[in-house]
Amino acid sequence: QAYVGMKDRKHFKEVVLDVLLADGLLKMTLPEKPQSPKQRYVISKENYRKEIAEMADSEMVRKNIDVLCMQMKDKNEKTK
């Protein structure tokens, strides 16, 4: 949420997170517990940067998408 500069958690969930999950670009680490405070998300496709950028519907998201993707990729590589 902070990575893309959005302050409202509900708006971030509706505009970014739910869309990425629905399109299969992200997946939950605990799908059986979507509201868990331990819930994390991992990238589920290789060409995520292009697809996420195409889905971004606000200038703020587009500006921060590369940073978000790189940080997510780094985190995923560290957890392997």
Side-chain angles (χ1 to χ4, degrees), residues 3-44:
Y3 294 138
V4 293
M6 298 176 100
K7 294 180 181 180
D8 182 36
R9 183 177 298 228
K10 182 179 176 186
H11 182 69
F12 171 77
K13 184 180 181 315
E14 292 172 356
V15 172
V16 178
L17 192 56
D18 287 348
V19 174
L20 295 175
L21 288 167
D23 286 350
L25 295 172
L26 291 181
K27 57 185 177 180
M28 294 182 193
T29 57
L30 302 170
E32 67 283 353
K33 298 179 181 180
Q35 301 297 321
S36 171
K38 295 180 180 180
Q39 183 64 262
R40 300 293 178 262
Y41 303 90
V42 293
I43 298 168
S44 59

